[in-house]
Amino acid sequence: MKMWFVIVATGIGVGVAGAWLDVLVKWLGDLREGRCSYGFFYNQVACCSGLDPGEICTEWRTWSEWFRIHSILGQSLLQSLVYMALAVAFAGSAAILVQSYAPYAFHTGIPEIKAILGGYVLDAFLSPWTLLIKGIGLALSVASGLSLGKEGPLVHVACCMAYNLSGVFQQFRNNEAQKRKLLAAAAAAGVSVAFGSPLGGVLFGLEELETFSNENDVIWRGFVTSVIAAVSLQYVDPFGTAKLVLFQVTSGSDTWRAFELVPWLFLGVVGGVLGSLLIKLNVAAAVYRRNSVLHEWPVLEVIGVSAITAAVSYLVVFLRVQSSELVANLFQECDANKGDYHGLCNPVAMWRNIFLLLLTAVVKIGLTAWTFGMMVPAGIFLPTIAIGASLGRAVGLLTQGLYRAHPTAWVFSSCPPDPTVRCISPGFYAVVGASAMLGGVTRMTISLVVILFELTGALSHVLPIMISVMVSKWVGDAFGEGGIYSAWIAMRRYPWIPSVEYRDKGEIAAHMMKPVQELVVIENRGCTLKDLDLMMKTHQFHGFPVIQEGLLLGYVMRDKLNISLESYFTGMNASSRLERPCSFLPVRADRSETLDLSPILETSVFQLRKEVPQELVINMFQKLNLRHIVFTQSGKLTGMMTKTDVVSFLNADFPHAAALAIPPDPDSYS
Amino acid sequence: MKMWFVIVATGIGVGVAGAWLDVLVKWLGDLREGRCSYGFFYNQVACCSGLDPGEICTEWRTWSEWFRIHSILGQSLLQSLVYMALAVAFAGSAAILVQSYAPYAFHTGIPEIKAILGGYVLDAFLSPWTLLIKGIGLALSVASGLSLGKEGPLVHVACCMAYNLSGVFQQFRNNEAQKRKLLAAAAAAGVSVAFGSPLGGVLFGLEELETFSNENDVIWRGFVTSVIAAVSLQYVDPFGTAKLVLFQVTSGSDTWRAFELVPWLFLGVVGGVLGSLLIKLNVAAAVYRRNSVLHEWPVLEVIGVSAITAAVSYLVVFLRVQSSELVANLFQECDANKGDYHGLCNPVAMWRNIFLLLLTAVVKIGLTAWTFGMMVPAGIFLPTIAIGASLGRAVGLLTQGLYRAHPTAWVFSSCPPDPTVRCISPGFYAVVGASAMLGGVTRMTISLVVILFELTGALSHVLPIMISVMVSKWVGDAFGEGGIYSAWIAMRRYPWIPSVEYRDKGEIAAHMMKPVQELVVIENRGCTLKDLDLMMKTHQFHGFPVIQEGLLLGYVMRDKLNISLESYFTGMNASSRLERPCSFLPVRADRSETLDLSPILETSVFQLRKEVPQELVINMFQKLNLRHIVFTQSGKLTGMMTKTDVVSFLNADFPHAAALAIPPDPDSYS
């Protein structure tokens, strides 16, 4: 019951928050260009609403109109100055907020959520403070025009909501597993709202967060949260469109032709290559930032980059607008009745458009690689879509140009003979490009396809989208497995085990485990409080095996041992009692001088023989969410393996593993 | 590489097979009504192709036209006789084929596939014979007009293909895990082709077959197979439509109104209730069939039921047509330009239509509950969709009637004022009804939604579909958890562990395990071949723990022991050597009279303490695909638990568990 209450409340909360975020971003973004004459808090669309079609909106004033500047030079100077000043102001304040109040609110949040769902405990990441700062900071950073999106951070916001709501109930406070299930459902709601894609949300949880593994009830809860969040969003309906489909594709034709597979496959390959490149650039930028002086001046870095972004973007028309607007227009087919978007539909300007689109893509790759990782909330989805859509549209324009130049060539023989019927839809090429690029960057498959066609409504074209995602993942994997989130997890050294299929070459667990000689163990016989105290001070491990004459008695967790010792030491002269013996086996009543620690000993630990194949051991860590496995032989301890060992083992071939590890003790998972 | 070869070949094979199956079914189905004048092997559509719109097809002759019967009585008598005779002939031959050549080709096959993917070994189920008979039998049984669909059996066909293709390579022949991964990918291809739904296929594998659990590469392979199968199907393009969307919904409006949630929620509730009822009826019918005389005359039963089905169906217009045609028309909106489907769009005949639709639903529930489980290949998806679509269309007609009677009532105030614009789309109500009914019967969620909107293309209405599935699953679960496939798995007692979240109430493994006193164990010291031989003859277990003075040495599998003993006994007078001692510990060279069985002893068995919580043990069986867990205490054997124990434990509250168990030894999994 309480579970469902939290799920429903989270769903509604995320839906409403998502809607208000949209409104805020739109208003802040429009403020960079001008203001509404009759009210400061109206955005451009709201300001101009209620007009008849064709009427020109006079209520919305650009800044030069508002300040009545008449000279052309003064106008463009003022416009560009305000545009840049506000961009820098927004980005700077986002960075200051994040740095001062909630450092965990930076970046996308998805790597952390993956790690948390995999068992990592990081409460600061989900605090109310983080929730607040991430929400406000996200609105500011998106409005600043930096090359980032709101999708990943919204997932983080959703998880914060669920976490703080669940904190109300005792039931969840001490149950990490229950809490994780709620977070998984909340993540689905976040994606659902970010893309207006309730199905995609569930699938994202399924594929990228890998939380649902074998439990149908978690899919089911994610499904419900996702639906409720989407319904709330649609109910609030921030832009009065009553539609969930954000970037409606109005493709003229329902069918596609076989020859179009050639440009689409090409886009798939390009998406795979550029996606890998983007990951590599982003990793390089992150490593450079950490090791250079930039590391100490994160706010200045944000201000600098936002100024550069604003300056560069102001020059290229497709970069100046918000990414979401750009994508919406690139996905749109040209339609004589609807007007032309910055000359995109002008057949004479084909080469100019192709050049501008490619330029946009290149600049955006550079900016995104740098921006994703700065001290502001930043998602990578939308910029990636924008890059892919630009490339796709360019390829689409080129194909269309070829067709127009040689309409009778044999490759185009499957086009309808009537030249007024559209044969090639460049807007759909943009969709294909976006999916290929996303595939290359995130290496997701099925959830990506669902999100994309929920975004665009291009259901009849599901096959081309699937093919391009398939090809780009294939190509991308050839340049190195794992998407951008895995790279960040490895760099930050979260204890998260990738769900790759590991195959040993006959190695057994004994080759990978820490043998008993190297382990810090508690020998039960003759153990005194002094020994324990010393051991706790020397070693940072999270638990210790307890043995007696080589036989394993059990495992004791550091925190439990800490509590026991502290409660014992409290209120008495500690040093005088340090010599007291203690035992992890139940103490007989007649030997009361021995401290009985048996209640805190976990006797049901996982025991395996060290001869089991490595792949089985890794499989167990992957599927059972274990923290450690103890190896015994006829009851005798032979070795141990922890989650951290497995993570380092699997990340051994990633060059920048742990490059950004921040916590002093990286294996603080519970 | 070989893996990818099998995947690609399976994808192509399934696509082509699905296409040819469609052609065969269409031809056989049309044959019941008439034949083409210029060629026996043309179906009605092919026969009449090439005509201008509006032209009447004269080449297709009904049987009465072909035999030139002019009296009305004679005509309808002949038509109905041929219709029934062919129905009985088709169904009867399907049953004879199945009974004589491949008993495993009966039914849908999905429960068996779930069990196989869960670790059950049932090679006969995937033999080439089964493949052939299932394919032909499926075409015959679908064409016979029995209340069944081709979707589930196509998944079975796809799995047979993958299995037999993989048998070509040594690599797969002895690797059950690899084989299972191929089967999972093939299942996705089956659904992909059955519904023209490549995404739905992957999701079906994910949700219903629960195979992909934690391994992204299996999702990925399913994705590729699914795409290839869909591309092949579209390439063969059996009906020349070049569309994957089978039941295109042409909803006039993209938006829906809030008041429509009331009828949709009602449909969700009805779907949940009737879905549970259908499951209960089907289980009751199956149990009755097994315990009555019908069990011995399966072919006669099929003939009888097909005759009754044909007779009843011939009387009601919506029952007479093939289910797929019915569904396609129920999903269609009324359109003045398109003609009326059996008066469905006639506003005057509203009550007649509602009555006929409800009658269709009721009759179909009864027929389906009986048919699903007879000795013919039979899927439950399509009949369920047909039942739900009939109900949904009826509710839609009722809502539309209410609106037409009171267009100005306040509930309808959100409808557009212009009466020529359609406010209520009964066709979409049919989609909602179908999804609710499917939700109630199968209890799937996310894959259902994807399949449904890939089937219909109704992307803008994804939220209502999700809501109805959600409600129907909620309601259905209140009447008993688990869909129809789980019920069949339990009845046939397959060793398949449902992935429910089991929570113990403090019970530990010791309460559930078989304690050492009740186990059949091999005592290593003093063990002779005679003992082993006797033990193998007395007990049917699949393996035995080996102990020495209470300490566990390992576990020996029955089949390995069998091979060792047989190779030893071969060629010598067995009885004389029965007294020879044997040992599962390595034998020293100077004691060569002892038979060394140590090579076949598995020493790396799963060992736990019996104090571990029950939920952890069950979780391990669910996630690690284990066959048994051995419990030890300081090396001493204390008990054991097998997969079969867990299955019986979890099925304890299902009244008909094992009612249909056929194999003499139900736990024959490897």
Side-chain angles (χ1 to χ4, degrees), chain A residues 154-354:
Chain A
L154 254 182
V155 175
H156 182 182
V157 166
C159 287
C160 287
M161 280 193 181
Y163 181 83
N164 290 299
L165 279 169
S166 75
V168 175
F169 299 107
Q170 188 66 42
Q171 178 188 345
F172 298 110
R173 228 171 295 157
N174 301 313
N175 190 333
E176 292 296 329
Q178 290 282 321
K179 240 189 267 180
R180 280 201 288 273
K181 285 185 183 170
L182 279 180
L183 291 185
V191 178
S192 167
V193 166
F195 295 105
S197 158
L199 266 179
V202 187
L203 287 174
F204 179 82
L206 213 62
E207 186 177 0
E208 182 60 28
L209 304 179
E210 295 163 18
T211 46
F212 300 118
S213 61
N214 241 337
E215 283 157 46
N216 263 338
D217 57 338
V218 191
I219 302 191
W220 171 223
R221 276 178 214 140
F223 189 88
V224 173
T225 329
S226 196
V227 170
I228 291 175
V231 171
S232 316
L233 176 65
Q234 197 162 37
Y235 183 79
V236 176
D237 194 12
F239 301 122
T241 54
K243 270 190 190 170
L244 273 182
V245 182
L246 291 188
F247 307 129
Q248 185 100 47
V249 171
T250 51
S251 75
S253 59
D254 259 8
T255 50
W256 43 278
R257 278 105 198 155
F259 73 84
E260 293 188 289
L261 281 175
V262 177
W264 293 341
L265 287 177
F266 172 71
L267 279 173
V269 174
V270 169
V273 172
L274 290 185
S276 302
L277 180 72
L278 183 54
I279 296 177
K280 291 213 162 50
L281 285 178
N282 182 246
V283 167
V287 172
Y288 173 79
R289 177 184 299 121
R290 164 58 65 103
N291 299 324
S292 74
V293 68
L294 286 176
H295 182 48
E296 327 218 318
W297 303 97
V299 175
L300 281 187
E301 182 198 354
V302 171
I303 289 177
V305 172
S306 66
I308 295 172
T309 307
V312 172
S313 304
Y314 201 78
L315 299 176
V316 183
V317 58
F318 294 137
L319 283 167
R320 195 185 315 160
V321 294
Q322 291 197 10
S323 294
S324 52
E325 188 187 327
L326 173 68
V327 171
N329 282 292
L330 289 179
F331 282 2
Q332 208 75 31
E333 291 310 330
C334 289
D335 184 340
N337 306 324
K338 276 203 186 149
D340 197 352
Y341 184 74
H342 293 294
L344 199 59
C345 290
N346 186 350
V348 182
M350 183 185 91
W351 289 110
R352 185 200 76 118
N353 282 328
I354 291 178

Side-chain angles (χ1 to χ4, degrees), chain B residues 94-326:
Chain B
I96 291 171
L97 282 175
V98 169
Q99 205 203 5
S100 323
Y101 298 104
Y104 275 114
F106 99 118
H107 207 232
T108 161
I110 289 180
E112 286 79 9
I113 292 166
K114 284 180 82 157
I116 289 174
L117 292 175
Y120 187 55
V121 173
L122 192 64
D123 285 340
F125 179 76
L126 296 167
S127 68
W129 240 175
T130 310
L131 169 59
L132 187 71
I133 300 296
K134 189 117 192 183
I136 300 175
L138 182 58
L140 287 168
S141 64
V142 171
S144 78
L146 279 168
S147 183
L148 47 80
K150 67 179 165 63
E151 288 69 20
L154 253 183
V155 174
H156 182 180
V157 166
C159 286
C160 287
M161 280 193 181
Y163 182 84
N164 291 300
L165 277 170
S166 77
V168 174
F169 299 107
Q170 189 66 41
Q171 177 188 349
F172 299 110
R173 227 173 294 159
N174 299 315
N175 189 332
E176 291 295 329
Q178 290 282 321
K179 239 189 267 180
R180 279 201 289 274
K181 284 183 184 171
L182 279 180
L183 291 185
V191 177
S192 167
V193 166
F195 294 105
S197 158
L199 267 180
V202 187
L203 287 174
F204 180 83
L206 214 62
E207 186 177 1
E208 182 60 29
L209 304 180
E210 294 164 17
T211 46
F212 299 119
S213 62
N214 241 338
E215 283 157 43
N216 264 339
D217 57 339
V218 191
I219 301 191
W220 172 223
R221 277 178 214 139
F223 189 89
V224 174
T225 330
S226 198
V227 170
I228 291 175
V231 171
S232 317
L233 177 65
Q234 199 163 36
Y235 183 78
V236 176
D237 195 11
F239 301 122
T241 54
K243 271 189 190 173
L244 273 183
V245 182
L246 289 188
F247 307 130
Q248 184 102 45
V249 172
T250 51
S251 74
S253 59
D254 259 7
T255 50
W256 44 278
R257 278 101 197 159
F259 74 85
E260 294 188 289
L261 281 175
V262 178
W264 291 341
L265 288 177
F266 173 73
L267 278 174
V269 174
V270 169
V273 172
L274 290 185
S276 301
L277 181 72
L278 182 55
I279 295 177
K280 290 212 163 50
L281 285 177
N282 181 247
V283 167
V287 173
Y288 174 78
R289 176 182 301 119
R290 163 57 65 106
N291 298 323
S292 74
V293 69
L294 286 176
H295 183 49
E296 325 215 322
W297 303 98
V299 175
L300 281 187
E301 184 197 352
V302 170
I303 290 179
V305 172
S306 66
I308 294 172
T309 306
V312 172
S313 304
Y314 200 78
L315 299 177
V316 183
V317 60
F318 294 137
L319 283 167
R320 196 186 315 160
V321 294
Q322 290 195 13
S323 295
S324 52
E325 187 188 328
L326 173 67

Side-chain angles (χ1 to χ4, degrees), chain A residues 178 181 199 203 206 210 214 216-217 446 453 457 459 499 501 503 603-604 606-607 609 612 623, chain B residues 178 181 199 203 206 210 214 216-217 453 457 459 499 501 503 603-604 606-607 609 612 620 623:
Chain A
Q178 290 282 321
K181 285 185 183 170
L199 266 179
L203 287 174
L206 213 62
E210 295 163 18
N214 241 337
N216 263 338
D217 57 338
I446 181 104
F453 76 80
L459 188 69
S499 71
E501 189 189 359
R503 302 203 149 272
T603 54
S604 56
F606 255 120
Q607 299 180 27
R609 298 206 179 189
V612 297
K623 292 199 176 153
Chain B
Q178 290 282 321
K181 284 183 184 171
L199 267 180
L203 287 174
L206 214 62
E210 294 164 17
N214 241 338
N216 264 339
D217 57 339
F453 76 80
L459 188 70
S499 73
E501 188 189 0
R503 303 202 146 272
T603 53
S604 57
F606 255 122
Q607 300 180 29
R609 298 207 180 190
V612 297
M620 287 181 63
K623 292 197 176 154

